[in-house]
Amino acid sequence: QLVRHLAAVGTPAELRKAFDCACDGAAQAARGLAWEEAARLYERALEIGERCGALDAERSLELRLAQAAALRGAGDIPAARARCIEVIATCRRTARHAQLAQAVLTYCGPIPLFGRVSPAERALLEEASRHAAAIPDALRARIQARLAGDIIGANQREQAARILTLCEDAEQAARRAGDDGALAMALLGSHF
């Protein structure tokens, strides 16, 4: 309601306040797992941010990534993937490897479906993995472990050595980052 009221006033100062409120509300909704509300507020923040000039390229990318994650959390996978594809296209043009990796993880989801091969998902995971050295360790661990999981899920036994290499890289990166979730993914891949 506050966002709606401030945006209706329409002055630059009030639009900026509406933008800040929408961003804060979206983040709070996401923390509370109110995914639909978070997705709606991120969309509103993007609209208002454009109107008041509060969005630079980095902030716009950050909000679109957050919205994609909220859409996935809400179960709207097609909309989440569409937003991810937009973000990925931007990241390719601007060499933003970390944001590309985040978008790929949101696009693909946290775990592979065993016995199902998705060439589109694999291609995105491979692309993000090629830039693993240029992204933060926590994200690197998740990309490498997720790619290993995709290969395992597709039952591509001939790639066993590569799977182990990916899992070892993921494990080391997860340990450096102190990311227990990513470490669990890496160790599970090594176990398989």
Side-chain angles (χ1 to χ4, degrees):
Q1 289 176 346
L2 184 57
V3 171
R4 191 177 319 117
H5 170 73
L6 291 168
V9 173
T11 65
E14 297 305 301
L15 284 173
R16 183 59 195 226
K17 288 179 188 174
F19 171 74
D20 291 339
C21 284
C23 291
D24 292 345
Q28 184 177 0
R31 282 190 302 275
L33 305 181
W35 299 117
E36 289 156 350
E37 180 70 3
R40 186 183 68 75
L41 283 168
Y42 281 125
E43 184 65 33
R44 197 74 177 110
L46 286 162
E47 292 169 10
I48 295 168
E50 282 291 324
R51 281 177 53 199
C52 72
L55 286 180
D56 60 12
E58 198 66 31
R59 184 73 169 141
S60 175
L61 203 56
E62 174 188 317
L63 291 174
R64 289 186 291 152
L65 274 168
Q67 184 190 29
L71 287 165
R72 182 171 264 286
D76 192 348
I77 306 303
R81 285 185 162 192
R83 183 57 90 179
C84 287
I85 292 299
E86 293 171 17
V87 169
I88 289 167
T90 299
C91 291
R92 285 175 177 151
R93 287 191 307 273
T94 58
R96 288 183 167 95
H97 303 304
Q99 290 90 342
L100 183 134
Q102 287 176 310
V104 167
L105 286 172
T106 301
Y107 182 94
C108 295
I111 46 179
L113 295 176
F114 284 79
R116 183 187 65 102
V117 176
S118 169
E121 287 182 19
R122 176 68 65 84
L124 289 171
L125 289 165
E126 293 283 5
E127 179 180 359
S129 179
R130 282 193 297 276
H131 302 292
I135 60 179
D137 280 330
L139 197 51
R140 176 181 183 158
R142 290 180 185 278
I143 281 291
Q144 300 296 64
R146 180 59 177 84
L147 176 56
D150 198 69
I151 298 168
I152 292 165
N155 202 26
Q156 294 176 321
R157 295 177 189 200
E158 69 281 3
Q159 292 199 46
R162 181 166 184 234
I163 292 167
L164 286 174
T165 299
L166 287 166
C167 289
E168 287 171 7
D169 185 40
E171 180 184 346
Q172 292 168 4
R175 288 186 191 284
R176 285 191 303 269
D179 187 330
D180 293 336
L183 179 59
M185 291 171 60
L187 293 174
L188 186 60
S190 294
H191 172 75
F192 274 109

